[in-house]
Amino acid sequence: MKKTKPDTIDTLSGGELGFLVSAVRSTIWSSIEAELQPLDITAAQFVVFNSIALGKGRTIGEFCRLLGYDSGAMTRLLDRIEKKGLVRRVANPEDRRSFLLELTPESKALFPQAKRRVQTVFKRLLAGFDEAQAAALKLALEQLLANAARTS
Amino acid sequence: MKKTKPDTIDTLSGGELGFLVSAVRSTIWSSIEAELQPLDITAAQFVVFNSIALGKGRTIGEFCRLLGYDSGAMTRLLDRIEKKGLVRRVANPEDRRSFLLELTPESKALFPQAKRRVQTVFKRLLAGFDEAQAAALKLALEQLLANAARTS
DNA sequence: TGGCAAATTCTGACTAGGCAGATACATTGC
DNA sequence: GCAATGTATCTGCCTAGTCAGAATTTGCCA
């Protein structure tokens, strides 16, 4: 049996928040997967792709920290992306232990299209949200993160 | 290198919402894991445990649909929980293909304690939220789900 | 300088979820 | 009653993430 979208839950207990957040995450993720499938890019791959394209980091380690990825997972994720020719590992002249990540010419050309597709996903998901509501959602999520950080 | 909590991101683009939701989900998840570790229960196991205890379903298939789990994943998750003696598969007299799920006496005794621990996690995460804010967060997340369902 | 702790990346072992196919049973329509 | 179809669960295979530990390189400090 394939995975199904969860039926709704009706209580208001704390656990429901966890359930909702999980469901939203998986929904966002699979919407992006579906939208990027024609380009043969997975959602995880896009996240890295996007971060490199936006210059959010330079080395593998920086992207691990930025994206909350384990270094082992990142190694293998990069292996997959590199095999598709979207990313290149380049020796870091400042530190011979590490690698810099670069887009390839092909992926630079592909990026705008992928980005646009992902943006349409979020636009669709946020339909009916005005600026204030979107900002409040973002703020609430950030507050949750801050609360968690405060006590761990 | 172990997984690290992601550093913050500074743009307002749509992708950030995906990032935030992922981070929140993983934070909730690992907070629960940490809180339940003394009881030797994982977060995934608690979710099933909790659903059974609250009578949200009866058969394996019902819990798959309720929790958005693949049936293969559920089979193996139940194997692990059953091995710990928290849950029992019981033949379903109404349908010989399926199994009903029951808590064991030990797990019934353990449940209140686990539940309490999970509640303290959410209380901590929702520190500073008043009723209206919590309700707004819940509503926003539900709206996202509804938007996704509408177009898939 | 020499030596040692820390950082960067990679690898292997393990856990876990998703999908496809298999099996057993149930239901429907004839 | 029986065939065809559908449903519930399980198994095998694949992908993916986590953790522990290794190899290499760097930086620091005596």
Side-chain angles (χ1 to χ4, degrees), chain B residues 1 3 60-61 71-72 75-76 89 97-99:
Chain B
M1 187 206 281
K3 180 183 176 182
I60 294 179
S71 67
T75 292
R76 286 177 274 254
R89 276 180 255 231
R97 290 167 303 178
S98 84
F99 289 99

Side-chain angles (χ1 to χ4, degrees), chain A residues 1-6 22-23 26-27 30, chain B residues 64 67-71:
Chain A
M1 187 206 282
K2 290 185 46 176
K3 179 182 177 182
T4 57
K5 300 225 180 260
S22 284
S26 115
T27 291
S30 54
Chain B
C64 283
L67 302 173
Y69 248 72
D70 170 79
S71 67

Side-chain angles (χ1 to χ4, degrees), chain A residues 25-92:
Chain A
R25 194 201 88 103
S26 115
T27 291
I28 293 177
W29 206 251
S30 54
S31 301
I32 293 178
E33 294 272 340
E35 194 72 28
L36 290 181
Q37 182 163 7
L39 305 184
D40 190 33
I41 303 174
T42 69
Q45 290 168 8
F46 175 76
V47 171
V48 176
F49 192 20
N50 186 55
S51 300
I52 298 174
L54 298 183
K56 292 205 175 289
R58 294 166 55 257
T59 68
I60 294 179
E62 280 172 18
F63 289 109
C64 283
R65 284 185 287 276
L66 184 67
L67 302 174
Y69 248 70
D70 171 79
S71 67
M74 183 59 88
T75 292
R76 286 178 271 255
L77 177 56
L78 288 174
D79 288 345
R80 291 188 291 269
I81 308 181
E82 201 167 17
K83 199 181 305 179
K84 286 188 188 168
L86 296 178
V87 159
R88 253 197 313 250
R89 276 181 253 231
V90 180
N92 181 356

Side-chain angles (χ1 to χ4, degrees), chain B residues 131-148:
Chain B
E131 275 298 320
Q133 287 169 319
L137 172 57
K138 174 171 172 266
L139 204 66
L141 293 173
E142 285 169 344
Q143 181 64 49
L144 279 175
L145 286 182
N147 284 346

Side-chain angles (χ1 to χ4, degrees), chain B residues 87-112:
Chain B
V87 159
R88 253 197 314 250
R89 276 180 255 231
V90 180
N92 182 355
E94 298 165 17
D95 185 341
R96 289 198 298 166
R97 290 167 303 178
S98 84
F99 289 99
L100 304 176
L101 294 176
E102 281 184 357
L103 299 189
T104 62
E106 306 85 57
S107 67
K108 275 183 196 153
L110 193 58
F111 179 67

